[in-house]
Amino acid sequence: MLVRPRRSALYLPATNARALEKARTLSCDVVVLDLEDSIAPEAKAEARLAACEAVRAGGFGARELVVRINALDTPWGAADLGAVAGAQPDALLVPKLSDPEDLPAYAAALGGKTRLWGMIETCKAVLRLDALGAAAAANRMEGWILGLNDLAMEMGCRPGADRAPLQAAMSLAVTAARAHGLFVLDAVYNDFSDAEGLARECAQGVAFGFDGKSLIHPAQIAAANAAFSPDPEALAWARQVVRAFDAPESAGRGVIKVDGKMVERLHLEQAQRLIALSDAIAVREGSPE
């Protein structure tokens, strides 16, 4: 079972050369070079060039390297798409993805290893999650990242610490992602100096079923990695479930008893995925920088 850790996805402005160099040594699972929100209009061309140069230079080790471009309906989107697709990062991140009809124009430009990721950050996207998920496989799409700052602004809501007005969208995004075999990452936590708040929000993301969290500062990486790594007790239970189903007396059985509890084959699949994630994290953390 191939599982790729995406516990922590760090956004970096593509124009920040020092940050890009530092990113090659950080413990995040994903580096997202940003050409969109963090880049002023007059710096878009410079950011595009810097991102492509960073992708071609490499040196990011086992980290996935992703570039968030400007949308095709902006003055910079077409140039971003052509240049970034040519550089071939691991993935191209589309902002404000709302319609499945938008996907083919992005996917057609991609080749090689590059996949498509999408930002879910509009009201329309939330209402079309199932359609977006259904169109994913045909358009090289691997998963989604929530953009709850933009969604909250469009909704006109005031999320608060528990993000109550956004919880329906969060749950729907996870549900649709699972239905269509996609990964899904939680949104950023805006106050990078608030370690307690970040830990609380990471725990909420884990409870909702997200695969990881997007981040705005390197100081947030350790908390996200810890929260979204398999819990040791859960991992021990997963190994026990796999051993029990592997036993000769369990052959062909759909339900067995493990440590006094009834366990179904769906729990076996869950256990296998948790073990695969743990193994992938071990490989990731043991890989050379």
Side-chain angles (χ1 to χ4, degrees):
M1 180 181 294
L2 179 61
V3 178
R4 187 144 194 183
R6 295 182 174 109
R7 301 164 296 171
S8 49
L10 178 64
Y11 289 108
L12 296 171
T15 50
N16 190 330
R18 184 177 177 183
L20 295 189
E21 189 59 34
K22 181 67 175 177
R24 292 176 166 91
T25 68
L26 296 174
S27 59
C28 54
D29 293 328
V30 182
V31 174
V32 183
L33 308 183
D34 189 28
L35 308 184
E36 196 216 11
D37 282 349
S38 65
I39 306 298
E42 62 272 15
K44 296 288 188 183
E46 175 192 352
R48 182 187 310 127
L49 179 61
C52 291
E53 288 179 348
V55 172
R56 293 191 173 101
F60 290 88
R63 301 163 194 82
E64 282 184 281
L65 187 57
V66 180
V67 180
R68 179 167 69 172
I69 67 170
N70 291 278
L72 285 176
D73 61 359
T74 69
W76 316 281
D80 285 354
L81 178 59
V84 173
Q88 294 198 357
D90 292 304
L92 182 148
L93 178 58
V94 178
K96 295 181 175 58
L97 182 64
S98 297
D99 288 303
E101 293 80 7
D102 294 338
L103 292 176
Y106 291 102
L110 303 182
K113 66 177 182 178
T114 306
R115 313 302 293 179
L116 203 59
W117 295 12
M119 295 290 303
I120 303 299
E121 51 187 343
T122 68
C123 295
K124 190 173 183 180
V126 173
L127 296 177
R128 304 209 68 188
L129 282 166
D130 185 55
L132 288 166
N139 291 285
R140 304 173 72 98
M141 178 155 279
E142 283 188 319
W144 301 326
I145 301 179
L146 263 62
L148 296 183
N149 287 333
D150 282 38
L151 181 61
M153 185 179 299
E154 189 173 311
M155 289 173 61
C157 68
R158 299 178 181 178
D162 62 359
R163 301 192 286 183
L166 300 169
Q167 287 184 16
M170 293 162 63
S171 183
L172 284 170
V174 173
T175 302
R178 298 295 172 250
H180 295 287
L182 306 175
F183 74 82
V184 58
L185 305 185
D186 195 4
V188 300
Y189 184 70
N190 296 315
D191 186 354
F192 62 81
S193 65
D194 180 9
E196 182 179 337
L198 173 63
R200 180 182 62 246
E201 199 163 284
C202 283
Q204 184 189 41
V206 171
F208 267 74
F210 288 101
D211 295 292
K213 191 163 184 65
S214 47
L215 312 173
I216 58 171
H217 195 279
Q220 299 176 318
I221 295 172
N225 283 351
F228 289 94
S229 292
D231 175 78
E233 289 187 11
L235 186 59
W237 171 252
R239 296 191 190 282
Q240 190 175 354
V241 168
V242 170
R243 285 195 299 269
F245 271 103
D246 284 344
E249 61 269 23
S250 300
R253 297 178 61 183
V255 181
I256 63 173
K257 185 177 288 188
V258 180
D259 198 20
K261 300 176 182 178
M262 300 307 295
V263 179
E264 301 178 42
R265 285 208 168 265
L266 63 90
H267 298 118
L268 172 61
E269 295 175 8
Q270 186 180 43
Q272 290 170 330
R273 190 184 187 284
L274 193 68
I275 293 169
L277 176 60
S278 177
D279 291 346
I281 289 171
V283 170
R284 160 70 183 88
E285 293 181 344
S287 65
E289 299 299 336

